[in-house]
Every structure is written in C-alpha cells, then in structure tokens.
Amino acid sequence: MKVLVIGLGGVTNGGKTTLAEKLMNILPNCAIISQDDFFKPESEVETDERGFKLYDVLDALYMDEMVTSIRNWMKNPASSGVVTEEPQNTCDNLKNVYILIVEGFLLYNYEPLNELWNRRYFLTLPYEECKRRRSTRVYQPADTPGYFDGHVWPMYLKYKNELEENASMQVDYLDGTKSQEELLSYVYSDIIQELNKLRE
C-alpha cells in the first residue's frame, strides 16, 4: 500500500476547497483534510490592539491535532472512513494507492507538516481579486471593517514571503484567476505523474 499526501495551500478565497473537491471526485481512493476544521474557538483566538481577531496566523489553529490527523490517515488510510468510492476509470494498478489532499491557507509554514508532503501547490490571487471574492463570503465571526487590509492580506504576504525565501521548499505556484477546469487539469495530470513514479 502506498500513500500520497498532497498540499493545496494558498490565499484566502483562492479556490482551494473547490479544487480539492473536484480532485477527490476523479482520483482513486482520495480523501480530504481541511485546515479550517482545526481553528480554535473564537474565545481562544487573540485580538490585537485594533480589535481584530487574529485568525490568519498559526496560533489560531490546533496545528498539532492537524498533524496527528494526517499521520493517522497515513498509517491506515483504508480504515480512515474518509476514503471515497473509486472512480470507474481507475486502473487496477492504482488500487493500492491512497491519496490525501490537505487544503488550507497556512500549510507550509509549520515545520512538522513539511516532512509529510509529496507535492505542494500554492494558489495565488492579485490583491483586488482576492478582496472582491472575500467580500462575497460570509464568515463566522464576520469580517469587521478594515479586517482584510489590516490583518488578512498582510498575513498572507508575510507567510508567502517566508515560503519564497525558503530555497529548500519545492512549491508549485498556481494562478487562482485561471478557470477551475484549467487548474483541475494541470494538478490532476501532475498528481497522475506522481502516482506513476510511485508505481515504478
């Protein structure tokens, strides 16, 4: 049995969840773990001097629990309960390969996660497009006025810069303004190549 752990990180509203779900529908034995499921309750998230809840930082998440969930899946993917039905076109030689897609906005800045990835993708958006998309979404708790410019975007740039400065980190940057079909096609064929390497 072989496992493939795929990171799908990047900017808020970049299309990570949509892409992860589309991939899950066409890849064999594929499951998703979402970083959003590991947010601490609002009462445990720090507030800065401007009154902004600091959600876009690692401290707002139970990262150790997330690592544990991924490791547990890797140990026994078949019994994780999150394995989907195999697509009909799956070749026999992929029957014993399990794929986990981990999607979230802060995947590659936490050292214990970095030893787990087989492939890393990072979705980017220009500022204006990201702000426009973010304004159409409803969050719990809701974004307060100035939150995007005061916290969300600066934190995205900070973590993205950290990533780009880390020369040892192999990351495939994806343009989130491209169509969902284009992104899906690119990542899907890349993962299939990775699966073929595993089989060799």
Side-chain angles (χ1 to χ4, degrees):
M1 185 190 72
K2 292 169 177 169
V3 298
L4 198 62
V5 181
I6 309 288
L8 202 52
V11 70
T12 176
N13 293 272
K16 301 178 294 293
T17 308
T18 305
L19 182 53
E21 287 169 356
K22 285 178 182 284
L23 285 164
M24 187 175 81
N25 290 332
I26 57 175
L27 287 165
N29 301 328
C30 185
I32 297 175
I33 287 179
S34 175
Q35 189 171 38
D36 284 357
D37 295 336
F38 296 90
F39 271 113
K40 292 177 180 174
E42 193 181 349
S43 59
E44 287 180 40
V45 176
E46 284 185 45
T47 305
D48 72 3
E49 67 283 353
R50 297 162 300 181
F52 290 151
K53 279 277 178 191
L54 303 182
Y55 272 105
D56 288 53
V57 297
L58 286 167
D59 283 348
L61 296 144
Y62 293 119
M63 292 302 293
D64 292 347
E65 282 183 24
M66 186 173 171
V67 173
T68 302
S69 294
I70 295 169
R71 287 193 181 282
N72 286 342
W73 180 91
M74 290 170 78
K75 277 186 223 142
N76 201 350
S79 72
S80 65
V82 277
V83 173
T84 59
E85 287 300 305
E86 287 187 39
Q88 294 314 300
N89 58 2
T90 302
C91 354
D92 283 342
N93 51 16
L94 294 180
K95 286 269 191 279
N96 64 342
V97 176
Y98 291 87
I99 303 165
L100 181 66
I101 297 171
V102 182
E103 63 94 11
F105 70 110
L106 260 187
L107 298 183
Y108 312 129
N109 304 77
Y110 187 67
E111 209 40 59
L113 274 181
N114 280 329
E115 56 209 45
L116 305 180
W117 310 117
N118 292 93
R119 297 287 289 140
R120 296 181 187 90
Y121 302 97
F122 189 96
L123 282 147
T124 63
L125 281 177
Y127 166 82
E128 290 297 342
E129 175 61 12
C130 184
K131 190 171 185 176
R132 183 193 69 73
R133 290 188 191 181
R134 177 95 182 190
S135 70
T136 65
R137 293 269 292 275
V138 178
Y139 289 92
Q140 273 318 102
D143 282 1
T144 50
Y147 189 67
F148 181 82
D149 289 313
H151 176 62
V152 176
W153 190 254
M155 286 299 107
Y156 163 67
L157 293 179
K158 172 186 180 286
Y159 286 116
K160 183 169 174 273
N161 289 340
E162 275 180 21
L163 198 54
E164 289 165 344
E165 285 164 13
N166 185 346
S168 66
M169 184 93 71
Q170 280 189 305
V171 180
D172 205 337
Y173 291 91
L174 307 174
D175 177 356
T177 63
K178 288 191 168 161
S179 73
Q180 290 178 359
E181 288 67 34
E182 234 176 316
L183 289 167
L184 179 65
S185 167
Y186 173 79
V187 176
Y188 176 74
S189 53
D190 203 45
I191 291 173
I192 293 299
Q193 279 184 332
E194 201 68 23
L195 287 173
N196 289 334
K197 277 190 228 162
L198 268 186
R199 284 193 356 241
E200 282 162 16

